[in-house]
Amino acid sequence: MDATERFRDYLRENGLALTAARRAVLEGIVACTGHFDADTLHSNLKKRGVSAATIYRTLPLFVKSGIITETLREKGRTCYERASSHHDHLECLMCGRIIEFKDDGLEKLQEAVCRSRGFTPVDHHLGIRGYCAACRKKIR
Amino acid sequence: MDATERFRDYLRENGLALTAARRAVLEGIVACTGHFDADTLHSNLKKRGVSAATIYRTLPLFVKSGIITETLREKGRTCYERASSHHDHLECLMCGRIIEFKDDGLEKLQEAVCRSRGFTPVDHHLGIRGYCAACRKKIR
DNA sequence: ATCAGTGCAAAGGATTTGCATTACA
DNA sequence: TGTAATGCAAATCCTTTGCACTGAT
């Protein structure tokens, strides 16, 4: 089920209206790659006349409908990402940058771990905290 | 290495002083169980004369020294928790049970991923959501 | 003695909210 | 047409910062 369909279902099931603004936010979210925050979304949607207030009021709907998930804050802003994106994070403790990565070996091994424990995986989230290459240089 | 020792090492390595306020925050953090935020910590440390500003200025030191980690926000506040000792979670979507596990192969592979990206890991958190063996039986 | 660390209060900035208006259903 | 949704701007409130003072080395 794609994001649009899922969002419509969510609205219908909860007696909420599919308005122009909500459609715009949906499209804004779908257009995002990687992490994004309310402010970025607002910049992209200003030209369509969507206010920041509406974005802040709308984001929770997308979280609840399973289209996006909240991630760690960056630069003081709450961030989100598409819920379906199966990638993991390297989180720099010094500069706060979050580097996305995807490693097939890691995924395979996780599946093996699950199998050996009779666990059926659906989704996962992995974050590794430490120091990115640039910051690593600064400390030594 | 326990939190106190680790914090002292971190301060020494970075030429920072071990002050009364930092000692108080350290004790406040160690006393916390589960999630906590700056405000909670401040309430607990007011009687020791530690200001909110100091707490906000000190928390990053604990994050960087690997004693605590940031978690998702709750009620608009940034939350933290004690950095766990490298075990991961299988989270059952049906019964809610959280099964801890530790897999050396997974750790090794994570280290390799970091190495290949010039990233120096300190800590990580992995949660795999899915269905535990018992619940798996119920659905089929 | 020196300079990092702290408290206080003011500033900053993301997020929320009240209210009049607009537009879905 | 009735009511939820929106925009605007003011209000909130978490977090950061400037500054003068205090205390650790």
Side-chain angles (χ1 to χ4, degrees):
Chain A
M1 181 161 64
D2 80 334
T4 303
E5 196 182 336
R6 179 182 285 247
F7 188 53
R8 293 197 168 166
D9 284 355
Y10 174 80
L11 293 178
R12 194 173 327 111
E13 285 164 16
N14 291 276
L16 302 171
L18 177 58
T19 63
R22 286 178 181 158
R23 234 184 320 258
V25 177
L26 170 62
E27 286 163 24
I29 286 173
V30 170
C32 283
T33 66
H35 293 184
F36 62 90
D37 56 46
D39 190 60
T40 306
L41 214 45
H42 184 217
S43 301
N44 296 340
L45 296 174
K46 257 182 209 148
K47 50 178 159 314
R48 296 184 62 174
V50 181
S51 71
T54 291
I55 289 176
Y56 279 109
R57 278 189 279 234
T58 306
L59 280 170
L61 304 181
F62 288 93
V63 171
K64 287 181 197 145
S65 62
I67 290 169
I68 60 178
T69 59
E70 206 179 313
T71 67
L72 290 186
R73 316 176 75 200
E74 290 177 60
K75 292 183 296 179
R77 293 173 186 162
T78 300
C79 289
Y80 302 86
E81 68 180 10
R82 289 294 298 278
S84 54
S85 50
H86 275 272
H87 57 252
D88 300 315
H89 297 157
L90 298 179
E91 305 161 6
C92 182
L93 295 168
M94 191 162 254
C95 65
R97 197 155 63 104
I98 293 186
I99 302 155
E100 295 182 356
F101 75 91
K102 193 173 185 325
D103 186 277
D104 284 336
L106 220 37
E107 309 249 331
K108 291 271 192 299
L109 195 44
Q110 284 177 27
E111 282 164 26
V113 166
C114 288
R115 210 162 28 243
S116 76
R117 287 170 173 75
F119 192 87
T120 308
V122 168
D123 184 26
H124 77 265
H125 48 98
L126 166 64
I128 302 178
R129 300 183 174 99
Y131 300 97
C132 71
C135 289
R136 171 68 181 278
K137 277 184 196 158
K138 295 180 204 156
I139 37 180
R140 54 173 50 209
Chain B
M1 183 161 65
D2 79 335
T4 303
E5 197 182 337
R6 177 182 285 247
F7 187 52
R8 293 196 167 165
D9 284 354
Y10 174 80
L11 293 178
R12 195 175 325 113
E13 285 164 16
N14 291 277
L16 302 172
L18 177 58
T19 63
R22 286 179 181 157
R23 234 186 319 257
V25 176
L26 170 62
E27 286 163 24
I29 286 174
V30 170
C32 283
T33 66
H35 292 187
F36 63 89
D37 57 47
D39 190 59
T40 307
L41 214 45
H42 185 217
S43 300
N44 297 339
L45 296 174
K46 256 183 211 150
K47 50 178 159 311
R48 295 182 63 173
V50 181
S51 72
T54 291
I55 288 177
Y56 279 110
R57 278 189 279 234
T58 306
L59 281 171
L61 304 181
F62 288 94
V63 171
K64 288 179 194 149
S65 62
I67 291 168
I68 61 176
T69 59
E70 205 178 315
T71 66
L72 291 185
R73 317 176 75 201
E74 291 173 53
K75 291 183 298 178
R77 292 172 185 162
T78 300
C79 288
Y80 302 86
E81 67 181 7
R82 288 294 298 278
S84 60
S85 49
H86 292 284
H87 59 253
D88 301 315
H89 295 160
L90 297 179
E91 307 163 2
C92 181
L93 294 167
M94 191 163 254
C95 66
R97 196 155 63 106
I98 292 185
I99 303 155
E100 292 186 357
F101 75 91
K102 192 173 186 324
D103 185 277
D104 284 336
L106 219 38
E107 308 250 330
K108 290 270 191 301
L109 195 44
Q110 284 177 27
E111 281 164 27
V113 166
C114 289
R115 208 161 30 241
S116 75
R117 287 169 172 76
F119 192 88
T120 309
V122 170
D123 182 30
H124 76 265
H125 49 98
L126 166 64
I128 302 177
R129 286 179 286 251
Y131 300 98
C132 70
C135 289
R136 170 69 180 277
K137 278 183 194 159
K138 294 179 203 157
I139 40 179
R140 53 174 49 212

